[in-house]
Amino acid sequence: MTIITRIGTELYGLLASIGRFAVGALASVGAVAAFAVKTIFRALTPPYYPGRLLAQLGQLGWLSLPVVGLTAIFTGAALAQQIYTAGSRFSAQSTVPAVVVIGMVRELGPVLVGLMVAGRVASAMAAELGTMRVTEQLDAMATLRTDPFRYLIAPRLFASMIALPLLVMIANSIGIFGGYLLAVYKLDFNAASYLSVTRRFLELDDFVMALVKAGVFGFFIALMGCYHGFQTEGGAAGVGRATTNAVVSAFILIILSNLLITVAAFG
């Protein structure tokens, strides 16, 4: 009986831990969903702050171009080299331009841009809003009858959803160009035939999917950055936790939503 009782106690403790984790996870999902609904509702009702929107577009879009461009061109070139190396085993080197353009536009471009911008932007949003929370600046704004959701969060949300598709289009172009440079100047592809194959395999649906993914990723990046920054507590240590949580949660949502969109489109 002692052994059975001990096993039952340990099993009960394990199930209780699993239950607490599940309840906590569901509570977190519910809190994020409620925050998202409140943000969208406030963002769609006046007053609006176009100046804040333009400022955030500069921060999110223009200042992210260098890291996005470098990531895209190196990824496109590396992808071309890998496809050529793998294809040479089956005498399929000619597939390099087709695979590069499809891989960049459908998957690598949106995902890499989303992850790079999330690392740069979600952390900045969480740090800025978290600092404002722990220094009671958000409470002061509410006291002055300035809605933090409309003044701080809505411009970031709209700017992220606008800037990400533009960055993805630029990254796709740069990535395809990177593959072209390596294929033509290192792998001895004919430039005209490479561009011809690229144009033939690039379809409008691929661009549409990339833009849809970018818009969704932009929403999640701004949502996670603002949510964790808005919920910050505990001083400087709390700001650090909020920054880390914002980046990690944005990464997870980007990867998960990318899978769901891909399966929905091609499944």
Side-chain angles (χ1 to χ4, degrees), residues 243-257:
T243 303
T244 302
N245 292 336
V247 174
V248 172
S249 57
F251 278 11
I252 292 173
L253 288 176
I254 287 172
I255 295 172
L256 177 60
S257 60

Side-chain angles (χ1 to χ4, degrees), residues 135-146:
T135 56
E136 299 182 354
Q137 295 181 52
L138 297 180
D139 298 330
M141 289 181 63
T143 302
L144 296 173
R145 302 182 65 84
T146 300

Side-chain angles (χ1 to χ4, degrees), residues 2 44-45 64 73 76-77 79 90 95 106 142 178 222 224 228-229 258:
T2 304
L44 296 177
T45 56
S64 297
I73 195 167
L79 181 62
F90 312 100
T95 61
R106 287 185 181 179
M224 289 297 98
H228 288 287
N258 175 68

Side-chain angles (χ1 to χ4, degrees), residues 45-87:
T45 56
Y48 305 110
Y49 298 93
R52 299 284 301 175
L53 175 61
L54 293 176
Q56 290 301 317
L57 279 173
Q59 289 288 331
L60 273 67
W62 178 253
L63 296 181
S64 297
L65 274 177
V67 65
V68 167
L70 288 174
T71 302
I73 195 167
F74 293 150
T75 300
L79 181 62
Q81 180 65 67
Q82 292 285 8
I83 298 304
Y84 181 84
T85 303

